[in-house]
Amino acid sequence: MTPLASFWSGLGGQPALVTRVFPVERPGVLSSRLPVREFAGACVGVCALAAAELAARRTGGGEVPAVRVDDGAVATAFVSERHLRTDGRAAESFAPLSRFWRTADGWVRTHANYPHHRARLLAALGTPEDPDAVAAALAGRSAREVEETVTAAGGLAVALRTPEEWAAHEQAAAVARLPLVERVRLDSAPAREFAAVDGGGPLLPAAGLRVLDLTRVIAGPVATRTLALLGADVLRLDPPGLPELPDQHTDTGFGKRSALLDLVGDRERFEELLAGADVVVTGYRPGALDRFGLGAEALAERRPGVVVAQLSAWGATGPWAGRRGFDSLVQVATGIAHAERGPEGGPGALPAQALDHGTGYLLAAGVLRALSDQAEAGGSRLVRVALARTAAELAAGAGAGDRVTGEPGTDLSPAPWLTERDSTLGRLRYALPPVDFEGGPRDWARAPGAWGADTARWL
C-alpha cells in the first residue's frame, strides 16, 4: 500500500477515491536519507483529497474532483518560511541559542526562539546569554542531565537519541499505540447540514464554516491556514501576554484574522465565539487548556456538533505527554537527527521541518474528513495528531525514499510555486498552497495582517 493509500485509509476515506489523485513526481526534491518527498506528498495528497471529497458533497454529490499533487509545489510549501520575503527581507530563522551543542557524552539540541524559553534555558544552565558560555556549560554535562534539568525549568532541550534508543523509550511505546490521525466520535449530535457552495468562483468546500484557531508556531497554523484557503472564516486567538514571532505569524497567517483574547478575563466573549464555531483547533500541550474548559468533551458539551482538532508534540499519553516540544526537538529525540547525520558524523536534520508541515496537512485532512462524516452520521468529533507519531510514520518508511543527501531546491527552481502580493505588512513574496484539486482555490483570499490586529468576532 502506498503512503497516500495508507494515510487515506487511516482517515476513514473510501479506498476507491485514491484513484482521483494524480501525482507529479520530481525525485530530486526534499532529498534525504528518509523518504521525505513521498511522505510530504502523501500528507498533502490526503488533505487535498479530503477537500475535494467535501467539495463534491457540497455541490450535489457528483464525482470527486481530480487532485493534483506536484512534488515541486509540495517541496516549496514545506519550506515556506524560507521563501517568505517582506519588502525583500528574508524571514528570521532559528535564534542563536536554538541549535545542537556538544555535551560530555554526546549531543543535545535546544530551542530558544521565544524570549521566555530562552530565559528558562539560561536560568537552568546558570549562564549569561552568550553562546560561548552556554557551550562551556553544556560541554561538562551529560546530554540526559541537560535534558532533564532544562525541562524541569520549563525550557526546551532534548538529548540526541538513536532510533534504537528511542524505540526503547516509554514515550515511544505510547506513541506507537496511536493511529497516525486519531478520530473519535464524542456524542450523538445531529448530522451536519451543509449549504450548497457558490459555483461562481473557486470551489471552496469550507465556505461558511467558522474555525477558532488556538495554535502557535507551524503545524497547527499550517492546518488552519489550509482551512482558510478552502473558504473557512478562521479566527486565530492568542493570549495578550504571549506574542508570536512576527515572520512566523506572517508565513502561517494567510487567509486568517488574528485577535487577542484573555481566556479568563474575556470569558464571555470566548463563549460567544464558541457558540458560533464549527471547528476548534488547539496546539497547546495536552491538558494545558482543560482548566479553561477547552477539553474536547467540554467543548462538545457546550457546542454540540463541533469538530475539535488537537495537536501536540509528544502525544496525549505517556511520560512525555505534558512536555513542550517542537519539530526540531522531536527529530532529535526520535532518532531522525541521528539518521540524518552530517558529513562529519554529527547530528543532522530533515531538509524541511517536515514533521510540522506534514502534521499540519494531516490535521487539516482529519478535520475535513470529520466534516464529511458528520454529514452522514452526525456527532461531535475529535481529531488528534502528534509530531512524534508523524515522526514514527516517516521513520517507518525508511528505505523507500531517495536516500540522497542534499539541500531542497538544488535541482529545481521554486519559482513556479512562488508569488507576490501587497499587504499591510509590506510587499510579500510567499509560497503558494500545495493543496490542489480541480476547480479549487489557488491562493488565499486575504493576505496576513499584524498579530492581534483584528477584533475577536465572526465575520
Side-chain angles (χ1 to χ4, degrees):
M1 184 180 293
T2 65
L4 175 73
S6 175
F7 294 2
W8 184 247
S9 175
L11 286 164
Q14 297 179 19
L17 290 183
V18 173
T19 61
R20 300 300 295 154
V21 180
F22 299 90
V24 179
E25 297 186 359
R26 304 180 190 272
V29 304
L30 296 176
S31 297
S32 169
R33 289 186 169 91
L34 295 174
V36 178
R37 178 178 65 86
E38 296 87 343
F39 163 80
C43 292
V44 171
V46 294
C47 183
L49 185 55
E53 176 192 38
L54 185 57
R57 176 179 297 279
R58 298 195 66 181
T59 53
E63 185 178 38
V64 171
V67 169
R68 175 184 167 96
V69 182
D70 191 317
D71 283 346
V74 173
T76 303
F78 264 55
V79 290
S80 60
E81 62 275 7
R82 301 181 198 172
H83 292 300
L84 180 67
R85 298 290 185 273
T86 305
D87 288 334
R89 179 186 61 80
E92 294 184 10
S93 186
F94 285 101
L97 299 185
S98 296
R99 47 169 276 200
F100 285 107
W101 308 84
R102 280 194 177 275
T103 63
D105 62 349
W107 295 87
V108 69
R109 181 151 190 167
T110 55
H111 195 287
N113 285 4
Y114 290 97
H116 56 294
H117 291 156
R118 183 162 57 250
R120 293 167 187 170
L121 170 68
L122 296 172
L125 299 178
T127 66
E129 190 173 337
D130 175 67
D132 291 337
V134 172
L138 293 174
R141 306 187 189 188
S142 73
R144 302 291 176 87
E145 176 197 353
V146 172
E147 178 181 274
E148 293 305 319
T149 300
V150 174
T151 298
L156 292 129
V158 172
L160 178 69
R161 288 171 170 81
T162 66
E164 294 75 21
E165 287 171 333
W166 176 247
H169 197 284
E170 190 176 347
Q171 189 60 36
V175 168
R177 291 190 288 267
L178 299 174
L180 179 61
V181 180
E182 188 175 359
R183 304 163 58 246
V184 179
R185 178 172 174 158
L186 297 172
D187 58 25
S188 57
R192 180 179 292 276
E193 295 183 7
F194 287 107
V197 295
D198 183 4
L203 193 53
L204 301 175
L209 298 176
R210 292 170 169 174
V211 178
L212 276 181
D213 178 5
L214 281 69
T215 69
R216 296 171 61 80
V217 196
I218 296 177
V222 163
T224 51
R225 182 180 71 180
T226 302
L227 296 175
L229 169 75
L230 300 172
D233 178 11
V234 178
L235 178 62
R236 172 167 165 166
L237 299 178
D238 283 283
L242 194 64
E244 180 62 285
L245 303 176
D247 290 333
Q248 191 166 263
H249 184 266
T250 299
D251 179 53
T252 60
F254 285 88
K256 310 179 195 178
R257 294 178 298 121
S258 170
L260 304 182
L261 190 76
D262 184 333
L263 290 179
V264 176
D266 295 330
R267 187 64 189 210
E268 184 176 348
R269 174 63 62 86
F270 177 81
E271 292 300 325
E272 291 174 356
L273 292 170
L274 175 62
D278 298 285
V279 180
V280 178
V281 188
T282 67
Y284 293 80
R285 289 173 294 151
L289 296 177
D290 287 4
R291 68 183 186 277
F292 300 111
L294 298 181
E297 291 79 7
L299 288 170
E301 183 176 347
R302 304 201 305 282
R303 179 64 166 115
V306 72
V307 174
V308 181
Q310 296 177 340
L311 162 77
S312 66
W314 307 105
T317 60
W320 282 20
R323 290 195 178 191
R324 298 171 177 86
F326 294 92
D327 179 308
S328 59
L329 302 184
V330 175
Q331 289 189 42
V332 172
T334 59
I336 288 176
H338 181 272
E340 294 291 330
R341 57 195 176 277
E344 298 181 1
L350 297 174
Q353 294 192 69
L355 305 183
D356 263 336
H357 286 272
T359 304
Y361 290 109
L362 289 172
L363 186 58
V367 169
L368 294 165
R369 286 255 55 255
L371 291 167
S372 288
D373 285 345
Q374 284 183 323
E376 296 288 344
S380 303
R381 305 288 175 138
L382 168 64
V383 179
R384 192 154 49 192
V385 293
L387 299 182
R389 179 61 183 84
T390 303
E393 196 71 22
L394 174 59
D402 296 333
R403 300 186 66 83
V404 177
T405 58
E407 291 297 321
T410 54
D411 50 359
L412 183 69
S413 170
W417 303 285
L418 298 176
T419 192
E420 294 189 4
R421 74 195 301 175
D422 290 320
S423 76
T424 58
L425 303 174
R427 182 72 176 174
L428 300 179
R429 188 196 78 174
Y430 59 98
L432 287 165
V435 173
D436 184 2
F437 59 93
E438 186 178 5
R442 294 303 303 128
D443 200 351
W444 289 275
R446 59 181 291 155
W451 178 79
D454 295 296
T455 302
R457 64 175 179 81
W458 295 119
L459 295 177

